[in-house]
Amino acid sequence: MLVSKEKMAGVVDAVSNNKEIEGRSLWQDAIGRFQRNKAAVVSVFVLAFMVIWSFIGPALSPWSYEEIDWNVIGNAAAAGFPSLETGHFFGTDDLGRDIYARTLQGTQISLLVGLVGTAVAVIIGVLFGATAGYVGGRVDNYMMRFVDFLMSIPYMFILIILFVMFGRSLWLLFAGLGAFAWMDMARIVRGQTLSIKNKEYIEASVAAGVGGFTIIMRHVLPNLLGIVAVYTTLLIPGLIMTESFISFLGLGVQEPLTSWGALISDGAKTIQYGTPWQLLFPLGFFIVGLFCFYFIGDGLRDALDPKDR
Amino acid sequence: MFSFIVKRALSAVPTLLFLIIFSFVLMRLAPGGPFTSEKPLPPQVLANIEAKYGLDQPWLVQIWNYVSGIVTQFDFGPSFRYKDQTVNSILSQGFSVTLVYGFWSFVVAVGVGMPLGIIAAIKHNSWLDYLAVGISIGAQVLPNFVMAPLLVILFTLVLGWLPGGGWNGGQWQYIIMPVIALSTSYMASISRIARSSMLEVLHSNFIRTAKAKGLPMSSIIMKHAIKPALLPVVSYLGPAFVGMITGSVIIDVYFSTGGMGQYFVDAATNRDYSLLMGATIIFGSLTILFNMLADIVYAWLDPKIRLA
């Protein structure tokens, strides 16, 4: 009461002239933490390079992924070795097809399958988990029982049967992989949603009369983003691995298209004929690619999941 | 504890039934049957064959006959492809092979992975710790279908020590590579999980108390630390076992060991319905059974689960 008007004005002046202290958002913090993880940053660049290469690279080769070099066919061990002169940078397979072009094509397919399969799994898993967690009670109980039930099914065998029965196609691969990979995501998201839904801001929006679906979409999902991002990056290599597994058995994508798993399978079947390049180049891509995803996933987990630090 | 086991066992039944019915329906839905060949059979002959295998009856009757045959006599019916053999005889041949190397793979994965992880945690930041971490990071990208050809290159083509495939009645030379190929990535995962949970336990308050009251390190670890540290490992054993069962398909196909996986893939490509169903059900029940065992062991170790 006794503070004079002048003094008050001075305070107002000082406060308003002062530069606003720059806040650091959660995401800025996370980016900073991620950048400090060297393996993860390097992996991002390697992976980006790999993706770009897989699209530009085929143009640098005189051979396409399905073209047959008739000089080499049936004599890959003697004539199909990697060389710059013949234009087969990574050598050829038994049929005289260029491994360089096929590896890059396989890279595209494997990454595509990993990404699309993961997208399917993430969409199903997040919606399912968020709904179960938010609604709670008996619905939650039944929904998670269903997840438990699905998880106890040996899905790989059903997937193989599906492939045999309905033929090999990319669409089935996307749908099949996605449909069998969302359960973990649903569990994680549900757990996180359970803790989010008791926060004050949710209470506030309920009090303001916002509908359940809108609350999930506008307030719950954005707060799940961090943990979803982490598990998404870890899901991608898992699905690439599953796809490779199926392709290794000779199912999976249809020739002449190929994938890492299909190439490794071809290479593995022919190693005793003296064509190691047929195995080692695709295998190199596979290993480097998976390592990158794992390192990025680890980096993201350290950056976004403060609990584990 | 007893009621927990009963409850857990009962919950496995619907899963198994679902698996049987789902794969049954899937196979009937699929285009092309086991008897569609390039030369179409005369319709009467086809009808006779289908009648012999009971394919002319309504689905529900077929499913009922099939399930009751398995439950009452453990009979999976005749193979559609190998005319003179029943599914039982084929599967029991394959199963004995898969069981041998599957058992050893599990023993290696747990027996090497668990001590490696625990010792790595106890000797935190020593060379042994770094070795364990290095192995577990590297083995993440070495699944069975990558390990198998690499092992063949090393041991068969370069060193010439081991045969590149076959089974030969289960002589030890033929078992080594399948076991290494199948167990490596799980060994690595188990050691990683064991290491991180052991580290967490060693930093907890009750271990500090034990140290403060002057217990020697060895009895702190054996009496107090091991049991809680093993919980996450035990909960991983279920998935690890499932992964190994699935991986055995790769091993059988690549090493031509003549195990279940080979028959599964053959049956799948030949559309041998009954063999495929039989293999799927055996694989599936193993999966379900082992998940159940892992849950029970977990509950036995952790009273929170048992009494909930």
Side-chain angles (χ1 to χ4, degrees):
Chain A
M1 291 309 154
L2 293 174
V3 182
S4 69
K5 264 191 179 163
E6 276 166 55
K7 222 176 189 174
M8 207 53 194
V11 169
V12 168
D13 213 37
V15 168
S16 53
N17 277 341
N18 254 358
K19 237 185 148 189
E20 200 182 330
I21 298 163
E22 214 160 301
R24 290 201 317 195
S25 73
L26 269 174
W27 287 98
Q28 279 167 329
D29 272 352
I31 290 170
R33 281 196 292 269
F34 186 80
Q35 281 168 346
R36 254 171 278 140
N37 186 332
K38 288 205 185 67
V41 175
V42 170
S43 296
V44 169
F45 282 105
V46 173
L47 205 58
F49 174 73
M50 203 181 236
V51 171
I52 295 169
W53 192 15
S54 78
F55 281 97
I56 296 177
L60 305 175
S61 163
W63 302 94
S64 82
Y65 67 91
E66 46 185 349
E67 210 173 331
I68 289 171
D69 184 351
W70 297 98
N71 296 322
V72 178
I73 189 165
N75 192 17
F81 52 85
S83 109
L84 287 178
E85 285 157 40
T86 55
H88 297 302
F89 305 137
F90 290 178
T92 71
D93 64 6
D94 253 9
L95 289 173
R97 291 178 300 188
D98 187 44
I99 296 289
Y100 171 80
R102 288 180 71 72
T103 304
L104 294 183
Q105 211 272 332
T107 305
Q108 285 181 20
I109 295 280
S110 280
L111 292 179
L112 185 72
V113 168
L115 289 176
V116 177
T118 303
V120 173
V122 168
I123 292 171
I124 302 178
V126 169
L127 288 180
F128 196 93
T131 311
Y134 187 77
V135 175
R138 197 180 290 162
V139 178
D140 174 36
N141 198 0
Y142 286 136
M143 284 174 90
M144 293 328 280
R145 275 283 176 79
F146 180 63
V147 168
D148 287 345
F149 167 70
L150 284 184
M151 287 187 93
S152 63
I153 292 171
Y155 71 92
M156 189 66 92
F157 296 102
I158 290 188
L159 211 54
I160 290 172
I161 294 175
L162 278 176
F163 267 99
V164 172
M165 296 303 159
F166 298 105
R168 298 148 61 171
S169 76
L170 269 182
W171 292 110
L172 185 58
L173 207 50
F174 295 153
L177 288 180
F180 286 111
W182 59 268
M183 286 86 86
D184 276 321
M185 185 63 91
R187 280 188 169 173
I188 292 162
V189 167
R190 169 186 171 266
Q192 198 72 6
T193 310
L194 278 179
S195 77
I196 289 176
K197 83 167 180 187
N198 292 323
K199 297 265 158 70
E200 288 84 354
Y201 57 84
I202 301 289
E203 209 177 338
S205 41
V206 172
V210 183
F213 184 72
T214 320
I215 292 181
I216 290 182
M217 296 306 278
R218 200 179 291 163
H219 299 292
V220 178
L221 285 190
N223 285 301
L224 290 171
L225 221 57
I227 202 154
V228 169
V230 171
Y231 282 93
T232 303
T233 30
L234 293 174
L235 197 55
I236 295 172
L239 287 190
I240 290 178
M241 200 104 82
T242 310
E243 188 277 331
S244 302
F245 186 99
I246 293 168
S247 294
F248 192 90
L249 293 176
L251 303 161
V253 292
Q254 186 87 48
E255 295 276 353
L257 290 183
T258 188
S259 73
W260 284 341
L263 287 167
I264 291 172
S265 163
D266 285 349
K269 279 177 197 140
T270 55
I271 39 172
Q272 64 266 46
Y273 306 136
T275 54
W277 53 84
Q278 216 185 316
L279 173 67
L280 295 179
F281 283 109
L283 194 58
F285 271 70
F286 175 84
I287 289 178
V288 171
L290 288 196
F291 260 136
C292 288
F293 278 115
Y294 282 127
F295 283 139
I296 295 173
D298 274 356
L300 278 180
R301 178 160 50 200
D302 291 346
L304 293 173
D305 195 355
K307 194 176 54 197
D308 269 10
R309 258 178 299 121
Chain B
M1 191 68 205
F2 181 72
S3 72
F4 177 85
I5 294 176
V6 171
K7 243 191 275 173
R8 187 63 189 74
L10 283 181
S11 77
V13 174
T15 316
L16 196 56
L17 269 182
F18 170 82
L19 187 71
I20 295 176
I21 292 169
F22 185 75
S23 46
F24 191 93
V25 170
L26 210 60
M27 266 169 251
R28 292 300 186 271
L29 278 179
F35 308 117
T36 37
S37 51
E38 279 159 33
K39 263 189 297 179
L41 293 168
Q44 291 91 343
V45 177
L46 195 62
N48 279 339
I49 296 180
E50 288 193 335
K52 183 187 165 202
Y53 289 106
L55 293 177
D56 54 343
Q57 284 160 327
W59 279 15
L60 277 178
V61 177
Q62 287 186 38
I63 294 182
W64 173 252
N65 286 340
Y66 188 70
V67 174
S68 63
I70 296 173
V71 173
T72 55
Q73 300 154 22
F74 203 69
D75 178 19
F76 292 94
S79 162
F80 286 172
R81 194 78 184 183
Y82 306 100
K83 296 284 183 299
D84 49 346
Q85 281 185 307
T86 61
V87 172
N88 278 19
S89 68
I90 298 175
L91 287 185
S92 60
Q93 270 171 28
F95 191 64
S96 61
V97 172
T98 308
L99 196 65
V100 170
Y101 73 76
F103 171 76
W104 285 114
S105 304
F106 200 71
V107 168
V108 169
V110 178
V112 178
M114 213 150 74
L116 189 67
I118 288 174
I119 295 171
I122 294 171
K123 310 239 176 237
H124 191 37
N125 288 334
S126 69
W127 64 269
L128 206 102
D129 188 22
Y130 294 133
L131 179 75
V133 172
I135 290 177
S136 59
I137 291 177
Q140 262 182 335
V141 297
L142 294 176
N144 40 46
F145 58 90
V146 172
M147 278 304 280
L150 290 181
L151 286 172
V152 170
I153 290 183
L154 181 63
F155 288 118
T156 308
L157 297 180
V158 178
L159 296 172
W161 289 352
L162 295 171
W167 186 243
N168 206 8
Q171 278 179 304
W172 62 270
Q173 298 97 320
Y174 294 82
I175 301 182
I176 291 179
M177 284 203 290
V179 167
I180 300 178
L182 194 53
S183 58
T184 301
S185 63
Y186 299 101
M187 194 255 308
S189 301
I190 288 175
S191 95
R192 189 175 60 237
I193 294 169
R195 175 181 174 273
S196 65
S197 80
M198 191 71 185
L199 274 181
E200 201 181 315
V201 169
L202 285 179
H203 285 115
S204 57
N205 291 340
F206 67 92
I207 297 294
R208 193 185 53 200
T209 308
K211 275 183 200 160
K213 72 179 182 184
L215 278 184
M217 203 55 201
S218 59
S219 76
I220 292 178
I221 288 164
M222 296 312 286
K223 281 206 184 117
H224 298 286
I226 287 266
K227 204 170 154 185
L230 285 188
L231 279 178
V233 179
V234 170
S235 66
Y236 177 71
L237 289 185
F241 184 80
V242 175
M244 281 191 204
I245 285 200
T246 328
S248 76
V249 177
I250 293 275
I251 300 297
D252 284 333
V253 169
Y254 191 71
F255 288 112
S256 313
T257 38
M260 292 259 293
Q262 211 164 344
Y263 292 112
F264 178 78
V265 174
D266 279 354
T269 36
N270 290 333
R271 297 179 184 283
D272 189 341
Y273 287 165
S274 52
L275 183 53
L276 192 53
M277 291 275 298
T280 310
I281 289 167
I282 296 273
F283 277 132
S285 12
L286 278 178
T287 310
I288 292 165
L289 181 74
F290 205 85
N291 271 327
M292 192 174 92
L293 285 180
D295 279 1
I296 290 173
V297 173
Y298 196 94
W300 174 59
L301 286 173
D302 186 357
K304 267 188 282 179
I305 303 274
R306 193 191 325 156
L307 302 174

